[in-house]
């Protein structure tokens, strides 16, 4: 069990796929070690996202908050970096690997026969009536599919299609379990399934998709 990803998640993909350099693929991103301040920054940003969509202060407070956020933007903007250079999504020890794109998740299983992770949505992800926005769940499932492919040791792949069935309302502020596995594989194709369940085991949503290994030159 880990706060982020297994320590072997960031291994050079060439160890898994000897033909990596012959078919486009993603750039090789090494794990980053930005220091403890980055973890604090992510936690504060997640809380700020929640507050940005759930508070109703006076106009003066909004003005003051805007000044502070704009100042922070000015502090960080000189350090813009290319993809794979900044630490976001490259810190396996942090929840969600250090990315704000997804809610924080924690990996419990990362094996060739499947993956399992805990995820907690918050106010920022609400679509209405305290339920997680339906459009957020495909994003979660697509991330699970990528983990499944990596854990199974398959070559670098992209999502060809992803289908979601919504079975029950997905709650916020509740630790949920997402699991994923390869249903079958044929050549370049891997048909992947995933589920999201609440603490009582109730199925909230399920997904199936197709992951296809990249051909030479495909980005």
């Amino acid at each position: 069990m880990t706060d982020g990803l297994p320590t072997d998640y960031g291994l050079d993909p060439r160890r898994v796929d000897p033909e990596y350099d012959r078919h486009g693929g993603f750039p090789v991103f090494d794990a980053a070690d930005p220091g403890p301040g980055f973890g604090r920054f992510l936690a504060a940003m997640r809380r700020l996202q929640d507050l940005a969509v759930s508070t109703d202060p006076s106009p003066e407070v909004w003005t003051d908050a805007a000044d502070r956020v704009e100042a922070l933007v000015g502090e960080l903007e000189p350090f813009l970096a290319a993809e794979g250079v900044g630490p976001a999504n490259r810190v396996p020890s942090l929840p969600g690997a250090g990315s704000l794109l997804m809610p924080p998740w924690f990996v419990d299983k990362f094996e060739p026969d499947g993956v399992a992770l805990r995820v907690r949505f918050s106010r920022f992800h609400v679509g209405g009536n305290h339920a997680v926005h339906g459009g957020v769940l495909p994003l979660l499932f697509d991330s699970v599919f990528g983990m499944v492919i990596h854990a199974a040791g398959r070559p670098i792949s992209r999502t060809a299609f992803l289908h979601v069935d919504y079975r029950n309302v997905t709650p916020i502020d509740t630790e949920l379990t997402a699991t994923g596995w390869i249903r079958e594989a044929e050549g370049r194709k891997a048909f992947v399934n995933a589920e999201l369940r609440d603490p009582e085991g109730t199925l909230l949503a399920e997904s199936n998709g197709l992951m296809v290994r990249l051909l030479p030159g495909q980005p």
Side-chain angles (χ1 to χ4, degrees):
M1 186 179 298
T2 176
D3 284 348
L5 285 166
T7 55
D8 61 349
Y9 185 85
L11 289 176
D12 188 327
R14 295 179 183 87
R15 299 186 192 180
V16 175
D17 178 12
E19 301 295 309
Y20 183 89
D21 290 313
R22 296 182 58 186
H23 62 71
F26 301 137
V28 179
F29 295 154
D30 295 322
D33 183 16
F38 183 64
R40 290 176 52 209
F41 173 80
L42 287 176
M45 285 295 296
R46 287 192 174 108
R47 182 57 181 154
L48 182 60
Q49 288 179 156
D50 287 336
L51 293 173
V53 299
S54 63
T55 56
D56 185 26
S58 67
E60 293 77 19
V61 172
W62 279 127
T63 298
D64 180 63
D67 290 341
R68 292 169 183 265
V69 173
E70 289 170 355
L72 179 59
V73 169
E75 182 177 351
L76 292 177
E77 201 156 23
F79 302 97
L80 281 173
E83 182 183 2
V85 177
N89 207 36
R90 295 199 304 123
V91 189
S93 61
L94 289 177
S99 173
L100 284 171
L101 182 63
M102 285 296 303
W105 41 253
F106 307 84
V107 174
D108 288 327
K109 177 183 177 181
F110 190 82
E111 303 292 341
D113 65 338
V115 302
L117 56 148
R118 290 164 287 133
V119 61
R120 181 184 294 265
F121 296 98
S122 61
R123 183 68 180 271
F124 181 67
H125 306 101
V126 166
N129 202 25
H130 298 286
V132 174
H133 193 293
V136 176
L137 298 188
L139 179 61
L140 170 66
F141 284 133
D142 200 30
S143 296
V144 172
F145 286 176
M147 293 184 200
V148 167
I149 293 298
H150 196 101
R154 288 186 60 83
I156 301 298
S157 304
R158 279 197 181 273
T159 308
F161 71 76
L162 185 156
H163 174 84
V164 177
D165 289 307
Y166 300 91
R167 302 304 186 187
N168 286 283
V169 170
T170 300
I172 63 170
D173 299 328
T174 302
E175 188 171 81
L176 310 175
T177 300
T179 56
W181 63 94
I182 293 177
R183 185 176 75 253
E184 61 177 301
E186 178 183 341
R188 295 173 55 216
K189 299 178 180 180
F191 294 90
V192 186
N193 281 43
E195 295 179 343
L196 182 67
R197 295 181 181 270
D198 70 10
E200 286 71 46
T202 301
L203 181 63
L204 304 174
E206 57 186 334
S207 179
N208 65 82
L210 171 61
M211 304 293 287
V212 179
R213 176 179 64 82
L214 296 178
L215 290 171
Q218 284 186 307

